[in-house]
Amino acid sequence: MIDRFYLWAFFVLFMLVSCDRKDAGALLPDLVKAETLMYTHPDSALLILERMQTPSPSNRYQNSTWCLLMTQARDKNNEKHTSDSLINIAYDYFAEQENSQRKALAANYQGRINEDMGNIEKATHYFLEASFEVEKTDDHQLAFLVYSNLGMIYLYRSLNEYAIPPFQKAYEHASLSENAEYISSSLSYIARVYAKQAKWDESIEYYEKAIEVAKKANKGRELTCGYCELSGIYTRIGNYQFALEQIQKALLVNRKEYLATDQLLLCIGDLYRFINKNDSANYYLQKAILSDNIYTVRSAYHALYLLNKEQQKYEEAIEYNDKYWIYSDSIKKSALSKEVVELQEQYNKEKLLNEKNQLQMEKDSTVRNGLLLLILLISILGVIIYIYQRKLIRKEHTIQKNEEQIRLCLLKIHKNESLINTNENRMQELALQIAKNQDVQEQLEEQQNALLDIQRQNNDLHEENAQLQLNIGHYSESLLEKAKELDALKVLSDEKTCSLEREKFLCNQLIRKTPVLDSLKRAPKYLESGELYAVQEAINELFDSFTVRLSKQIPLSDDDLLLCCLLKLRLTNSEIGTILNITADSVSKRKQRIKARIIHEFGQDLGSKRTLDLFIWEF
């Protein structure tokens, strides 16, 4: 029976450890599906990731992959990044792995998020790291994205000479990927750099190449954007007729509204104004002011103002100018409100997600620790049962009444002796506290009363032991057995006393080895909330989750739990007051409130017979 019990216990332990250490294995089906759709249908990928159950943080591989793909999907759906909580999880995990593709992807989105958050130096560092890792892979689409992001960092900060090489690498990888959309985009990026350098011929050449690629592959969005950007180049060099032709081509291609049609109408109207075709300009600008886009309407009114001013129609010009300023004010107000709302929504979303991950992590940790504790208790129980059964086998089948009485008396005597030893330790602790708390009258009286109660209890125990010794003398027939029991129990009593002393010594040593606790014991000083939280964490580690166990039995606030942690270090009221920046009297009053709660939970007998300090020391 015992052997079978041990087999089951070790089997459960082995399965627990195996489950905790096993490899995450293949990706979850939802993650595989989302990654497959990421480049072609990023909106569907985001929907899958949002609807699936978030993988447990204990399974770092699945959870980190989900965080990485979620960040990628949000980026591809043009959601602005306001937090790096998800990508940090993914980056920290994959940085330790040998998968270069995942390393490059994580570093790339670390760069994207840091760029959105304004950390340009960090973003550049991550993009460079991603470019190094992506060269070890055959993922040319990812390589295009990495080099494009790196080039954009340089381009939009007017580091034009640095931008060309990354964009050329992006074009090379786009060509290897045979993705016409990426090829066209990379050519447009190079054209932008030349435009920033005022190299108009080179810029026009690359835009025409980008348009040609998009036209052959029937990529409407890239073709529309190419025409629009090329129109912008011709506008900048003053060739308004060519600019008008390009924007009109964009309008024809823009059947699926890759770009807002009203924006194109605005550009056409403005170009007609430049070439002095006022009627056509007025026609298109009047169409543009019907737009639902407040920015387009504002620009259209400004263009109409300039148009009428040039025609010396001052009354109409003033009217359009007034409307322009009305829309400008509205834009400023709505932009501010929208930004606040977006930031709040994103914050709430990230907060809920972090709380969900934290709760899941805590749940997994609690279950795992609970199972380990259960197995440990089962093992200890098995050992106790085994020892007890061995003892029963060796015992005689019948036990004389005198021997039983002697055994009970001896157990009582040694139990009393153990309690006497414990009380003596309490008395020593109280004596030290009394010596330290001479200036706190209320606590001094409480501790002196507790000391007197313990002394009276010791006197009662001594008297009870004397009576028990007299009772043992009446059972002279079992003197030999009594001596054996007495010796055995004395050894057990001495071992228990030594264990208590050793426990106290080890706790003191651990406190000295813990810097935050040792410095607090040696020189108490005022601590900020973060430092107090570190003290509480250290107490929990040294005293077996002290605050968790205490809050399960007694409803206490966070401040009360913190005060109990400081009492656990055997600090005086004055020292605690210094740490919390309150008076010793306030500490005493808070201790009285906590003691009242303890008395309410455990009853008068437990709460009123000793001080709060003793209760906390022994808890």
Side-chain angles (χ1 to χ4, degrees):
M1 177 179 177
I2 298 298
D3 292 341
R4 184 178 299 174
F5 170 80
Y6 276 111
L7 284 174
W8 276 106
F10 285 118
F11 174 73
V12 174
L13 179 62
F14 173 77
M15 290 300 294
L16 178 66
V17 174
S18 298
C19 290
D20 189 52
R21 294 184 178 180
K22 70 179 181 179
D23 197 336
L27 276 178
L28 296 172
D30 284 339
L31 294 177
V32 174
K33 187 175 180 181
E35 188 170 23
T36 303
L37 295 171
M38 190 63 69
Y39 285 98
T40 54
H41 299 91
D43 53 341
S44 300
L46 179 60
L47 187 63
I48 292 171
L49 293 168
E50 288 178 337
R51 288 183 175 179
M52 72 177 288
Q53 182 178 0
T54 306
S56 168
S58 60
N59 189 334
R60 292 188 65 199
Y61 174 57
Q62 304 287 354
N63 183 255
S64 299
T65 304
W66 179 85
C67 291
L68 179 58
L69 295 180
M70 176 62 81
T71 305
Q72 185 180 14
R74 288 176 177 175
D75 184 77
K76 285 188 170 294
N77 282 277
N78 299 318
E79 291 188 14
K80 186 174 178 61
H81 302 288
T82 58
S83 171
D84 58 358
S85 57
L86 290 182
I87 194 59
N88 282 341
I89 296 173
Y91 180 81
D92 291 344
Y93 175 76
F94 288 113
E96 302 169 357
Q97 310 305 313
E98 298 300 325
N99 189 330
S100 295
Q101 193 273 345
R102 286 283 191 259
K103 283 184 182 180
L105 189 60
N108 178 65
Y109 285 104
Q110 274 282 26
R112 287 284 298 111
I113 290 174
N114 276 278
E115 183 180 7
D116 281 353
M117 296 172 67
N119 302 323
I120 304 305
E121 291 185 4
K122 283 188 176 181
T124 306
H125 166 77
Y126 284 120
F127 286 140
L128 288 171
E129 179 184 340
S131 67
F132 175 77
E133 292 294 337
V134 81
E135 289 296 338
K136 302 176 185 177
T137 73
D138 293 328
D139 192 340
H140 299 296
Q141 293 190 108
L142 175 58
F144 161 79
L145 294 175
V146 170
Y147 284 113
S148 295
N149 288 329
L150 182 59
M152 288 297 182
I153 284 279
Y154 296 137
L155 176 62
Y156 290 126
R157 281 148 193 88
S158 299
L159 300 173
N160 302 319
E161 294 78 7
Y162 292 95
I164 285 289
F167 283 144
Q168 288 177 338
K169 292 289 290 185
Y171 172 68
E172 292 174 11
H173 285 285
S175 300
L176 291 171
S177 72
E178 298 181 353
N179 186 323
E181 178 183 340
Y182 286 176
I183 295 172
S184 177
S185 296
S186 59
L187 289 168
S188 294
Y189 296 155
I190 297 173
R192 289 180 194 174
V193 180
Y194 284 127
K196 292 270 285 186
Q197 295 175 320
K199 296 180 178 180
W200 310 118
D201 292 340
E202 292 86 343
S203 180
I204 292 171
E205 179 185 352
Y206 274 96
Y207 274 126
E208 289 177 345
K209 289 181 180 179
I211 290 170
E212 187 65 27
V213 171
K215 188 184 295 183
K216 288 182 179 179
N218 196 26
K219 296 293 181 179
R221 181 183 300 278
E222 285 66 34
L223 187 56
T224 304
C225 292
Y227 281 134
C228 287
E229 292 189 32
L230 184 56
S231 173
I233 297 298
Y234 282 125
T235 300
R236 291 177 66 181
I237 62 178
N239 195 337
Y240 301 123
Q241 188 61 46
F242 271 69
L244 182 60
E245 291 176 5
Q246 301 304 316
I247 205 70
Q248 287 173 334
K249 289 179 182 178
L251 185 62
L252 291 175
V253 175
N254 196 42
R255 293 184 299 273
K256 295 184 179 180
E257 295 192 0
Y258 304 109
L259 296 178
T261 301
D262 47 18
Q263 286 280 350
L264 298 178
L265 294 173
L266 173 64
C267 292
I268 292 173
D270 231 6
L271 287 170
Y272 272 124
R273 182 173 66 85
F274 288 143
I275 60 177
N276 297 319
K277 292 187 177 182
N278 298 329
D279 291 339
S280 297
N282 186 69
Y283 172 77
Y284 282 102
L285 291 174
Q286 291 295 337
K287 281 190 173 184
I289 63 174
L290 300 177
S291 170
D292 295 330
N293 188 317
I294 191 171
Y295 296 94
T296 303
V297 175
R298 180 190 64 175
S299 299
Y301 275 124
H302 187 254
L304 283 168
Y305 157 70
L306 295 175
L307 178 64
N308 283 273
K309 182 181 177 182
E310 291 168 359
Q311 294 179 298
Q312 298 182 353
K313 297 178 180 180
Y314 298 114
E315 184 175 349
E316 290 87 344
I318 292 172
E319 180 182 351
Y320 287 127
N321 188 52
D322 290 341
K323 290 182 179 179
Y324 164 74
W325 284 111
I326 291 172
Y327 276 92
S328 294
D329 292 339
S330 298
I331 287 173
K332 289 179 182 178
K333 293 178 182 178
S334 63
L336 181 60
S337 301
K338 182 179 179 182
E339 184 177 356
V340 171
V341 171
E342 287 179 352
L343 288 174
Q344 185 63 43
E345 289 179 352
Q346 187 65 29
Y347 170 77
N348 293 337
K349 189 175 182 180
E350 293 292 342
K351 182 180 178 182
L352 288 174
L353 183 59
N354 289 337
E355 288 177 353
K356 182 179 178 181
N357 288 338
Q358 185 65 29
L359 288 174
Q360 184 65 39
M361 189 180 301
E362 290 175 358
K363 180 181 177 182
D364 293 342
S365 177
T366 302
V367 171
R368 182 168 60 254
N369 293 337
L371 288 174
L372 287 172
L373 181 60
L374 177 62
I375 291 171
L376 179 61
L377 291 175
I378 291 173
S379 301
I380 294 173
L381 183 61
V383 172
I384 293 173
I385 292 173
Y386 177 74
I387 294 172
Y388 183 67
Q389 287 189 346
R390 290 286 299 270
K391 184 177 180 181
L392 287 178
I393 294 172
R394 294 194 300 266
K395 268 192 171 184
E396 298 178 354
H397 292 288
T398 58
I399 301 175
Q400 296 296 330
K401 182 179 180 180
N402 292 348
E403 294 173 339
E404 179 66 18
Q405 293 297 327
I406 290 173
R407 189 180 68 81
L408 293 175
C409 290
L410 291 171
L411 286 173
K412 185 62 177 175
I413 287 172
H414 286 283
K415 181 179 179 181
N416 290 345
E417 289 178 351
S418 176
L419 185 54
I420 289 169
N421 290 333
T422 301
N423 285 343
E424 288 176 352
N425 287 332
R426 293 179 186 171
M427 291 165 64
Q428 292 176 4
E429 294 284 355
L430 284 171
L432 290 174
Q433 288 285 359
I434 290 171
K436 291 181 178 181
N437 292 330
Q438 291 295 334
D439 56 334
V440 185
Q441 186 61 31
E442 183 179 352
Q443 186 179 12
L444 184 60
E445 291 175 359
E446 179 187 5
Q447 291 171 342
Q448 288 173 341
N449 291 334
L451 185 59
L452 291 174
D453 286 340
I454 295 172
Q455 288 173 342
R456 283 195 293 270
Q457 187 181 23
N458 273 8
N459 293 335
D460 293 339
L461 291 172
H462 282 301
E463 292 176 3
E464 185 180 357
N465 281 0
Q467 185 60 44
L468 289 171
Q469 290 289 356
L470 291 175
N471 291 340
I472 291 173
H474 295 157
Y475 304 102
S476 57
E477 294 179 0
S478 304
L479 290 177
L480 181 60
E481 286 296 325
K482 181 191 76 172
K484 292 180 180 178
E485 291 280 358
L486 188 61
D487 292 340
L489 290 171
K490 187 174 185 305
V491 170
L492 289 175
S493 178
D494 293 339
E495 288 179 352
K496 182 177 179 181
T497 302
C498 290
S499 296
L500 290 172
E501 292 296 326
R502 188 182 300 113
E503 180 183 359
K504 181 178 178 182
F505 172 77
L506 290 175
C507 283
N508 289 333
Q509 291 298 316
L510 286 172
I511 288 173
R512 291 193 184 96
K513 296 295 183 181
T514 307
V516 65
L517 300 182
D518 183 53
S519 62
L520 203 61
K521 286 276 288 182
R522 293 178 182 275
K525 62 178 182 178
Y526 171 69
L527 298 181
E528 300 290 344
S529 58
E531 296 172 311
L532 290 172
Y533 178 77
V535 171
Q536 184 171 329
E537 288 295 310
I539 290 292
N540 281 331
E541 290 180 4
L542 292 183
F543 297 100
D544 190 24
S545 300
F546 167 73
T547 59
V548 177
R549 293 186 289 107
L550 185 59
S551 6
K552 283 183 180 178
Q553 298 193 27
I554 307 160
L556 295 175
S557 66
D558 292 341
D559 291 339
D560 290 340
L561 287 174
L562 180 59
L563 178 59
C564 292
C565 288
L566 298 176
L567 290 176
K568 192 73 172 174
L569 292 175
R570 290 172 166 75
L571 298 173
T572 66
N573 285 9
S574 299
E575 292 170 337
I576 293 174
T578 300
I579 294 169
L580 299 179
N581 197 21
I582 59 178
T583 64
D585 288 340
S586 298
V587 175
S588 180
K589 290 177 181 178
R590 286 175 62 178
K591 288 170 66 175
Q592 289 298 324
R593 288 198 299 270
I594 296 172
K595 183 178 178 182
R597 291 187 186 176
I598 295 173
I599 292 173
H600 177 74
E601 292 296 325
F602 293 102
Q604 288 289 336
D605 289 339
L606 182 62
S608 62
K609 292 296 184 182
R610 48 181 162 168
T611 65
L612 175 63
D613 301 66
L614 284 174
F615 177 84
I616 294 299
W617 296 344
E618 295 172 8
F619 188 86

